[in-house]
Amino acid sequence: MGPGPINADPRVLRAMSAQLLGQYDPAMTAYMTETMGLYREVFRTANEQTLLIDGTSRAGIEAALVSMIEPGDRVLVPVFGRFGHLLREIAERSGAEVHVREAEWGTVFTPEQIEQAVIETEPKILAVVHGDTSTTMAQPLDELGAICREHGVIFYTDVTASLAGNTFETDAWGLDAVTAGLQKCLAGPSGSAPATFSPRAVELINARKSIEAGIRSDGDEVRATPIRSNYFDLAMIFDYWGSKRLNHHTEATSMLYGSRECARLLVDEGIDNAVERHRMHGGAMLEGLRGLGLEIFGDVSHKMNNVTAVYIPDAVSGDAVRGELLDDFGIEIGTSFGPLHGKVWRIGTMGYNARKDTVLTTLAAFEQVLRRAGASVTAGGGVGAAYDFYADEAAGANAGEAAGADVREAELADLERAGL
Amino acid sequence: MGPGPINADPRVLRAMSAQLLGQYDPAMTAYMTETMGLYREVFRTANEQTLLIDGTSRAGIEAALVSMIEPGDRVLVPVFGRFGHLLREIAERSGAEVHVREAEWGTVFTPEQIEQAVIETEPKILAVVHGDTSTTMAQPLDELGAICREHGVIFYTDVTASLAGNTFETDAWGLDAVTAGLQKCLAGPSGSAPATFSPRAVELINARKSIEAGIRSDGDEVRATPIRSNYFDLAMIFDYWGSKRLNHHTEATSMLYGSRECARLLVDEGIDNAVERHRMHGGAMLEGLRGLGLEIFGDVSHKMNNVTAVYIPDAVSGDAVRGELLDDFGIEIGTSFGPLHGKVWRIGTMGYNARKDTVLTTLAAFEQVLRRAGASVTAGGGVGAAYDFYADEAAGANAGEAAGADVREAELADLERAGL
């Protein structure tokens, strides 16, 4: 129940135990093509270039940035948590002239602030994290696409922490490049990075295409200054996933099976239903934590559905509480980074773990551990507040709200999962 | 039965279906540490820095090269197949001044040729592939370490295609950096790259250490010109796998489970026994292909145990034969790249597929498909020659050769595997 990685959906793990296929077996390439289609639904995009990068979520970030950035390009990075610093770091190592704007941890930027920074720095690329688990904040992106279009800026975001747990729209929000990971709301293991690229981003990347020695054919593109990374060269990776089937790397077959299953489960559930499930169980966790007497960190109106940070009470050892929860109850929660290290705990409700039973069990155990650590807690306050929240949700559903029905369906799906 | 990826050992796939652990759960970090130890045995090294890169085998290559190469460094790459070109490409993109020597495909270099090139080019790094599946050749490396030491050169090799199927010694041969993959003789899926680095390589890499923004603490190293890649920054990756547990990336948990199981199975079998198993079944396949009347490609005295290339007979369509083997018999074999594309087939006997039953079944099916394609084949010639080879091996074992006993044990292990 930390900020991720979390328990994977058992169906994803089972999919990964399927036997391997040869890289160009028609069955394998058909799975690749099917996976592209599934992730178009998850990302809400019509982008042809929707595929997997073989590595963890930061592999997806590096592939996007190193393939789009030519040394000397200006990149604007609004930073509101640890992962904004990561975008900055990767852009700098890719040779960009990076301009940073920082928001206090626990807050986000207004569209006006972003536009002002765009005007001041005239970047080629705006690179911003959607949800930053380090602070639990989600940066609103829906107005930034229009700003980027107006100023001729490529718009990139990483949605590793937010996708499928919070509303996200690649095309409707005007994104040019989006990268993700499986280990949060997608309910899979780290190690595969779904990504999507708009025709504008593809044009930019393909203009840099240089086919590597050893598999180059007559007439193939060669450039004196290719993309700086071979492994993350998206121009070649597009040709691997496309009809050319360029032999760039050997696709990580088991991770592909896992990624495909993550997307299948989400599409079966319905992306909106999955977001609603995260909203509901995240809301129950938030109210439960308040009911225990804990203070929530940050601007709750911009908090992601799937993770909540609370201040560690004075005179309580954050690490000791985390250790007892893990050792004695088998429940993991997280601390945070930088200015928040040792100051907050982060509790996730994401992916396979965004369920009523996990929320209630975590609150029940947390109450016991906090009390034994000497914190002042209200007996039954956490679980009671969560039950109240669920009851209010159900009442809303009974009053005829469509979302409520979906939520009930999601609950049934959860039971089915737990029962395997 | 192609040149890889091949069928994974079912025990590896089962290991990958285990539930995830939190990244800093003591159980998880213990698995990481255990995996380091297992790969020290597989690589035959005492190197502390023996770990996994989260990506396919070329991710391992890029991590090694980009972390060791500073722009402008001279790198010598002896090329004897497709993957030599890949080393050259990755070294160039890392900013190196690359010097190439080429051997005709199907041959390898003598130590004298390599030393001459070292003297001529005075490289910082010698980067050479051990086994290049594109030609089936294995470059002898055992004399190159002394040459590198004498001339102050860092010695790097990629053993993705050869490790565990051919004798390989990291420390005894004087290697400074070695990278691998799981999808050949290690019997796992692509997507995790085991690697090992000598103290000399570690010193070189750590001299470039620059801890990324967002997780940097007071006193941590920061450099104006860090390693060009963040994802492949081995200095930070060492700190992630070491006691510092720097939060560089979220380890690909399922791939770690798979990598660990690949190494456990090899260590259980015994590395020498595994190599001997590949020698025996690769030898049976070679004799069987000859028995079918096919001509072997390349210098057989330098061929890897685990893959054999044969010329496609005139007037036979290589792709049609491959298609019929796959579609009608469920057996995949490969073609090759560049100058060998469409000229040879490559047949693997590696990892989980280095077994008597797979060798005989492949030869039996191959005979039928070749005959129907109009090739001149000897009825029963392939299977018969393989049986003869196995009989000779068994006779050798009865005469008291220790290797024979190990081989029989390996056969039993195979049966156990097939029976699960």
Side-chain angles (χ1 to χ4, degrees):
Chain A
M1 302 298 285
I6 44 76
N7 298 91
D9 190 307
R11 290 172 293 184
V12 173
L13 298 173
R14 278 200 311 237
M16 294 181 68
S17 68
Q19 187 49 278
L20 308 185
L21 288 166
Q23 164 169 37
Y24 294 107
D25 188 319
M28 177 67 184
T29 53
Y31 282 138
M32 292 174 70
T33 301
E34 182 194 359
T35 302
M36 296 174 88
L38 287 165
Y39 275 99
R40 286 187 198 106
E41 295 193 57
V42 173
F43 280 122
R44 307 267 204 189
T45 184
N47 289 340
E48 171 63 23
Q49 298 300 357
T50 304
L51 40 69
L52 306 177
I53 308 299
D54 285 1
T56 74
S57 41
R58 77 167 56 201
I61 298 171
E62 188 156 321
L65 290 178
V66 79
S67 292
M68 294 195 296
I69 292 170
E70 293 193 69
D73 281 346
R74 274 194 303 281
V75 175
L76 172 63
V77 183
V79 173
F80 59 98
R82 178 214 159 158
F83 291 98
H85 285 296
L86 179 63
L87 298 192
R88 165 204 200 154
E89 180 85 22
I90 293 175
E92 282 176 352
R93 292 192 187 210
S94 301
E97 176 190 316
V98 179
H99 295 267
V100 167
R101 295 293 183 272
E102 294 201 47
E104 190 184 351
W105 286 34
T107 73
V108 296
F109 294 89
T110 63
E112 294 72 28
Q113 288 173 314
I114 303 276
E115 181 161 32
Q116 184 59 36
V118 165
I119 290 167
E120 287 166 8
T121 61
E122 296 183 347
K124 171 176 160 182
I125 298 167
L126 169 67
V128 60
V129 167
H130 184 213
D132 199 313
T133 42
S134 67
T135 69
T136 75
M137 295 294 110
Q139 170 64 47
L141 301 178
D142 53 324
E143 296 182 41
L144 304 189
I147 294 170
C148 286
R149 280 292 185 288
E150 188 184 332
H151 296 278
V153 174
I154 293 281
F155 183 19
Y156 161 68
T157 193
D158 179 72
V159 297
T160 298
S162 57
L163 188 66
N166 304 269
T167 299
F168 178 75
E169 299 279 346
T170 296
D171 290 355
W173 293 357
L175 267 305
D176 290 303
V178 184
T179 59
L182 305 184
Q183 73 271 23
K184 311 278 183 178
C185 305
L186 272 68
S190 171
S192 176
T196 188
F197 301 90
S198 74
R200 205 158 69 126
V202 171
E203 188 183 356
L204 181 78
I205 292 164
N206 278 342
R208 306 183 65 198
K209 186 187 289 188
S210 188
I211 304 296
E212 70 185 43
I215 55 172
R216 195 183 291 146
S217 303
D218 290 344
D220 273 350
E221 300 86 345
V222 193
R223 286 190 169 72
T225 55
I227 290 167
R228 272 189 176 186
S229 169
N230 171 283
Y231 190 69
F232 293 131
D233 184 324
L234 283 172
M236 286 200 286
I237 292 171
F238 293 158
D239 278 353
Y240 178 54
W241 286 80
S243 57
K244 191 173 169 186
R245 296 283 171 211
L246 181 79
N247 196 337
H248 175 260
H249 62 277
T250 301
E251 183 59 14
T253 318
S254 302
M255 287 306 309
L256 175 96
Y257 294 165
S259 289
R260 172 173 168 270
E261 191 67 12
C262 288
R264 270 161 46 122
L265 293 175
L266 275 174
V267 169
D268 278 357
E269 181 179 6
I271 311 296
D272 288 339
N273 292 342
V275 170
E276 176 61 15
R277 177 166 56 86
H278 282 87
R279 186 199 62 74
M280 187 169 72
H281 298 297
M285 182 64 87
L286 174 73
E287 293 308 327
L289 292 167
R290 281 178 169 153
L292 283 172
L294 295 168
E295 187 190 349
I296 309 297
F297 168 79
D299 172 4
V300 173
S301 69
H302 288 111
K303 197 182 75 64
M304 282 188 281
N305 290 326
N306 49 302
V307 58
T308 303
V310 292
Y311 287 100
I312 299 170
D314 292 340
V316 166
S317 160
D319 283 349
V321 165
R322 288 174 58 225
E324 202 164 312
L325 268 174
L326 181 62
D327 292 340
D328 297 344
F329 295 83
I331 296 172
E332 185 180 81
I333 66 170
T335 177
S336 190
F337 303 95
L340 295 179
H341 183 73
K343 296 221 168 56
V344 302
W345 290 306
R346 292 179 300 155
I347 298 102
T349 42
M350 56 179 87
Y352 184 62
N353 286 355
R355 305 196 311 261
K356 188 176 183 178
D357 63 313
T358 56
V359 168
L360 296 178
T361 305
T362 300
L363 290 168
F366 208 9
E367 177 186 326
Q368 300 302 322
V369 173
L370 284 169
R371 179 178 295 112
R372 291 171 62 87
S376 161
V377 285
T378 311
V383 167
Y387 267 123
D388 289 347
F389 180 86
Y390 285 123
D392 289 349
E393 289 280 320
N398 288 339
E401 292 175 17
D406 292 337
V407 167
R408 284 200 305 279
E409 285 177 33
E411 291 286 330
L412 291 175
D414 290 344
L415 286 175
E416 180 194 23
R417 267 172 234 183
L420 288 178
Chain B
M1 301 299 284
I6 45 76
N7 298 91
D9 190 308
R11 290 172 292 186
V12 173
L13 298 173
R14 278 200 311 237
M16 294 181 68
S17 69
Q19 188 48 277
L20 308 185
L21 288 167
Q23 164 170 37
Y24 293 107
D25 188 319
M28 176 69 184
T29 53
Y31 283 139
M32 292 173 70
T33 301
E34 183 195 358
T35 302
M36 295 174 88
L38 287 165
Y39 275 99
R40 286 188 198 106
E41 295 194 57
V42 173
F43 281 121
R44 307 265 204 190
T45 183
N47 288 340
E48 171 64 22
Q49 297 301 357
T50 304
L51 40 69
L52 307 177
I53 308 298
D54 285 1
T56 73
S57 42
R58 77 167 56 200
I61 298 172
E62 187 155 322
L65 290 179
V66 78
S67 293
M68 295 194 296
I69 293 169
E70 293 193 69
D73 282 345
R74 274 193 303 281
V75 176
L76 171 63
V77 183
V79 172
F80 60 99
R82 179 215 158 157
F83 290 98
H85 285 296
L86 179 63
L87 298 192
R88 164 205 201 152
E89 179 85 21
I90 293 174
E92 282 177 350
R93 292 192 186 210
S94 300
E97 176 190 315
V98 179
H99 295 268
V100 167
R101 294 292 182 275
E102 294 200 47
E104 190 184 354
W105 285 34
T107 72
V108 296
F109 295 88
T110 64
E112 294 71 27
Q113 288 174 313
I114 303 274
E115 182 162 31
Q116 185 59 35
V118 165
I119 290 167
E120 288 166 8
T121 61
E122 296 184 347
K124 171 175 160 182
I125 299 167
L126 169 66
V128 60
V129 167
H130 183 213
D132 199 312
T133 42
S134 67
T135 69
T136 74
M137 295 295 109
Q139 170 64 47
L141 301 178
D142 53 324
E143 297 183 40
L144 304 188
I147 294 170
C148 286
R149 278 292 186 285
E150 188 184 332
H151 297 277
V153 174
I154 293 281
F155 184 19
Y156 162 68
T157 193
D158 179 73
V159 296
T160 298
S162 57
L163 189 66
N166 304 269
T167 299
F168 177 76
E169 298 279 346
T170 296
D171 290 356
W173 294 357
L175 267 305
D176 290 303
V178 184
T179 57
L182 305 184
Q183 73 272 22
K184 311 276 185 180
C185 305
L186 272 68
S190 171
S192 177
T196 187
F197 301 90
S198 74
R200 206 159 68 127
V202 171
E203 189 182 354
L204 181 79
I205 292 163
N206 278 342
R208 305 183 65 198
K209 187 186 289 187
S210 188
I211 303 296
E212 70 186 42
I215 55 172
R216 197 183 290 147
S217 302
D218 291 344
D220 273 350
E221 301 85 346
V222 192
R223 284 187 171 73
T225 55
I227 290 167
R228 272 189 176 185
S229 169
N230 171 284
Y231 189 69
F232 293 130
D233 184 324
L234 283 172
M236 286 199 285
I237 292 170
F238 293 158
D239 279 353
Y240 178 52
W241 285 79
S243 58
K244 192 173 170 185
R245 296 284 171 210
L246 182 78
N247 195 337
H248 175 259
H249 61 277
T250 300
E251 182 59 15
T253 318
S254 302
M255 287 306 310
L256 175 95
Y257 294 165
S259 291
R260 172 173 169 270
E261 192 67 12
C262 288
R264 269 160 49 120
L265 293 175
L266 275 173
V267 169
D268 278 358
E269 181 178 6
I271 312 296
D272 288 338
N273 292 341
V275 170
E276 176 60 16
R277 176 165 56 86
H278 282 86
R279 186 199 62 75
M280 186 169 74
H281 298 297
M285 180 64 85
L286 174 73
E287 293 308 326
L289 292 167
R290 282 177 169 152
L292 283 172
L294 295 168
E295 186 189 349
I296 309 297
F297 167 79
D299 172 5
V300 173
S301 69
H302 288 112
K303 197 182 76 61
M304 281 189 281
N305 290 325
N306 49 302
V307 60
T308 302
V310 292
Y311 287 101
I312 298 170
D314 291 340
V316 166
S317 159
D319 283 348
V321 165
R322 289 174 59 224
E324 201 164 311
L325 267 174
L326 181 62
D327 291 341
D328 297 344
F329 294 84
I331 296 172
E332 185 180 81
I333 67 169
T335 179
S336 189
F337 303 94
L340 296 180
H341 184 73
K343 297 221 169 54
V344 302
W345 290 305
R346 292 179 299 155
I347 298 102
T349 42
M350 56 180 86
Y352 184 62
N353 287 354
R355 304 195 311 261
K356 188 175 184 179
D357 63 313
T358 56
V359 168
L360 296 178
T361 305
T362 299
L363 290 168
F366 208 10
E367 176 186 327
Q368 300 302 323
V369 173
L370 284 170
R371 180 176 295 112
R372 292 172 61 87
S376 159
V377 285
T378 312
V383 167
Y387 266 123
D388 289 348
F389 180 87
Y390 284 123
D392 289 348
E393 289 280 319
N398 288 338
E401 292 175 18
D406 292 339
V407 167
R408 284 200 306 278
E409 286 177 31
E411 291 287 331
L412 292 175
D414 291 343
L415 287 175
E416 181 194 23
R417 267 172 234 183
L420 289 178

